[in-house]
Amino acid sequence: IHSDRGATVFPSWLPRGPANFGAAAHGTMAAAEVRTSGLYHVSLTLTRLWGLDDGKRDILRNYMNLVEAVDLALRRTTFPQRLHAVGVHAAAYLASCQELFPWIPGTTNEHLILHQPELLHRFGPSRYWWCFAAERWNGSLQATLTNHLLGVH
């Protein structure tokens, strides 16, 4: 992925993202780096690497449904056709997750993606409301004592 990424030419207005994406030395990625890397860099690289591989094509399609749902949900405007497309891609992503990885249980966040069209319809573009809910949720999770023992109270 790293060598392919270096060979890719992007428009100058698109942020490059971290050069050592995924390496432990990079540390925690900022939200903008995650978005740029996931929506553009990784998408193009995986399409080149897996697009003609019959064994990986379904996994690539799964990832691209997630990318499309996220990309559409993060747009600056909303309208009924876009909201419908977010729901279609989110449902396709979750359905293919269950087909490709039946041994992995679904998560709360995966369920929440199905509610994005309704939230976008009620509250408008996510850029105007997403941080508030996410920050409140993060705050409540950080206040939970786990001692790194998941599932033990």
Side-chain angles (χ1 to χ4, degrees):
I1 289 179
H2 288 272
S3 62
D4 184 77
R5 184 181 177 275
T8 305
V9 177
F10 289 99
S12 60
W13 51 264
L14 184 68
R16 288 289 301 164
N20 57 349
F21 168 69
H26 179 267
T28 303
M29 293 174 63
E33 292 176 320
V34 171
R35 180 176 185 214
T36 300
S37 296
L39 294 182
Y40 304 107
H41 301 293
V42 175
S43 298
L44 289 172
T45 295
L46 291 181
T47 300
R48 276 197 291 269
L49 296 175
W50 293 354
L52 299 176
D53 183 341
D54 289 338
K56 305 263 175 124
R57 194 172 295 134
D58 288 340
I59 296 173
L60 176 61
R61 189 173 293 120
N62 170 264
Y63 179 73
M64 294 308 293
N65 273 315
L66 175 62
V67 166
E68 191 67 26
V70 170
D71 183 44
L72 292 171
L74 294 178
R75 297 288 175 99
R76 294 174 186 232
T77 59
T78 58
F79 49 88
Q81 296 87 347
R82 182 172 289 159
L83 300 180
H84 177 73
V86 169
V88 167
H89 286 290
Y93 164 72
L94 292 177
S96 64
C97 279
Q98 291 175 347
E99 291 173 18
L100 293 167
F101 315 107
W103 61 91
I104 300 176
T107 65
T108 302
N109 285 344
E110 289 174 337
H111 170 78
L112 291 175
I113 195 174
L114 295 174
H115 295 284
Q116 283 303 307
E118 177 186 351
L119 294 171
L120 292 167
H121 174 72
R122 286 181 173 212
F123 303 117
S126 60
R127 64 184 304 117
Y128 301 114
W129 54 266
W130 70 347
C131 290
F132 174 74
E135 292 301 322
R136 295 250 345 222
W137 181 249
N138 284 339
S140 67
L141 289 176
Q142 288 173 345
T144 303
L145 299 176
T146 65
N147 292 330
H148 304 290
L149 300 173
L150 300 176
V152 178
H153 302 290

